[in-house]
Amino acid sequence: MSLVLLLAGQAPAADTGSAAGAPTRLARTDIPPAYLRWYLDAAYTCPGLGWNILAAIGKIESDHGRSTAPGVKAGENSAGAAGPMQFLADTWATYGIDGDHDGHTDRYNPADAIYGAAHYLCANHAGQGGRHLYQAIWQYNHADWYVHQVLTQAAAYATTTPATTTPAASGRGAIAIRAALHWLGTPYSWGGGGPAGPTYGTAQGAGTKGFDCSGLTQYAWAQAGIQLPRIAAAQYTAGPHIPRNQLHPGDLLFFATDIHNSATIHHVGLYYGHGQMIHAPQTGDVVRISQFTGNPYREHQYIGATRPTANAST
């Protein structure tokens, strides 16, 4: 009976699709960037499974690896569970995944544990949503209260997708936004990234695999079928210029040291909506959603926006 009541509306709704929506402010402040990246990536191995479901389980089981309870970082708890996603040894033997491709499947390794959780949930048909999702989460802890807690946390972690919440989003712009969201938490790498995804950069980025600002925008719009130049200043010419009061999600925002000289453009991001942008900020940071409107530093250097188009791409 509890299953029927829960599915009838007594549990919070959670976006459980493979593009479960952008991380909310709570998610971005509560989830360590590396964990957020693993949740986002691992969800893609199970079509239909929301990254926020994995993140909610990680929160409840170990506070994203921060818990000092027995079994999280070493040993096992009283039930025999271990690691940040709290796997039993027998379950891990069947569903463990080498998430970071280091040649080992280790339930204490966050990447392995998160990918393993996605594998386990998917084997229990979590990607099909509805009752299947409920039952897959129930298998994790065999308790109705646990499912309710996971769904509550998942709903708090993810927004609906930009394409749904922002009617003005163009088809291609929405695709570019979803593509960029997939790489939240990825390290900034000077000279890194391109149409195929993150790469090792150059100079100070030589030892880091990730994106710089224009590498991220080039990648995102490539997924929407539009090729952009590699450098931010050159991307400024790839598409018509858009007045600020007509910005749509996916439009490119540009920043320059001299707003009267486009040759001084040094940064670019994708407009996300509600005065925010998705961008790769600087060395030592990660791909993130940041406030654009009202940020004095960004406002002072804002030079304009463009909307990439097939006709203007190079």
Side-chain angles (χ1 to χ4, degrees):
M1 179 174 291
S2 61
L3 173 60
V4 174
L5 290 173
L6 183 62
L7 295 176
Q10 293 192 3
D15 186 344
T16 59
S18 57
T24 60
R25 181 177 302 233
L26 170 66
R28 299 196 305 273
T29 56
D30 186 44
I31 303 173
Y35 271 73
L36 180 56
R37 177 75 178 83
W38 289 322
Y39 293 135
L40 289 160
D41 258 7
Y44 272 79
T45 67
C46 181
L49 174 64
W51 68 267
N52 53 331
I53 297 296
L54 290 171
I57 290 173
K59 173 66 174 179
I60 294 164
E61 296 293 350
S62 73
D63 192 21
H64 310 301
R66 293 179 294 227
S67 172
T68 58
V72 173
K73 296 180 174 63
E76 296 179 341
N77 67 14
S78 59
M85 301 300 277
Q86 292 289 278
F87 271 97
L88 298 173
D90 289 346
T91 307
W92 182 254
T94 302
Y95 298 102
I97 295 289
D98 179 11
D100 60 0
H101 308 292
D102 66 355
H104 304 283
T105 53
D106 179 1
R107 57 182 170 158
Y108 299 101
N109 179 317
D112 293 1
I114 291 167
Y115 273 81
H119 185 200
Y120 181 58
L121 290 166
C122 208
N124 285 295
H125 312 296
Q128 296 178 30
R131 290 174 182 264
H132 297 284
L133 175 63
Y134 181 96
Q135 292 166 346
I137 299 171
W138 188 90
Q139 287 293 331
Y140 218 96
N141 200 307
H142 295 84
D144 290 334
W145 66 261
Y146 180 81
V147 180
H148 189 277
Q149 192 172 351
V150 167
L151 292 176
T152 299
Q153 187 67 60
Y157 272 164
T159 65
T160 53
T161 59
T164 300
T165 60
T166 310
S170 68
R172 291 192 186 222
I175 292 170
I177 286 290
R178 286 195 294 268
L181 287 172
H182 175 64
W183 297 102
L184 289 177
T186 300
Y188 178 95
S189 176
W190 177 273
T199 66
Y200 287 96
T202 59
Q204 62 263 45
T208 303
K209 187 175 184 179
F211 291 99
D212 65 10
C213 65
S214 56
L216 177 66
T217 53
Q218 187 184 48
Y219 166 82
W221 274 97
Q223 310 320 297
I226 292 181
Q227 298 178 9
L228 293 177
R230 180 60 180 80
I231 305 301
Q235 291 180 4
Y236 189 62
T237 65
H241 290 255
I242 305 299
R244 184 160 171 174
N245 63 358
Q246 296 179 24
L247 288 173
H248 290 183
D251 290 349
L252 300 183
L253 307 176
F254 294 89
F255 305 88
T257 55
D258 178 355
I259 62 172
H260 303 291
N261 182 2
S262 63
T264 68
I265 288 174
H266 61 85
H267 192 63
V268 60
L270 295 104
Y271 185 64
Y272 179 59
H274 308 295
Q276 297 179 313
M277 66 178 176
I278 306 169
H279 65 143
Q282 59 192 358
T283 298
D285 211 328
V286 297
V287 175
R288 64 172 65 249
I289 299 172
S290 300
Q291 190 66 31
F292 152 56
T293 301
N295 180 322
Y297 175 73
R298 297 299 179 194
E299 292 278 11
H300 180 70
Q301 296 196 340
Y302 178 71
I303 192 173
T306 68
R307 183 168 301 151
T309 64
N311 291 336
S313 62
T314 58

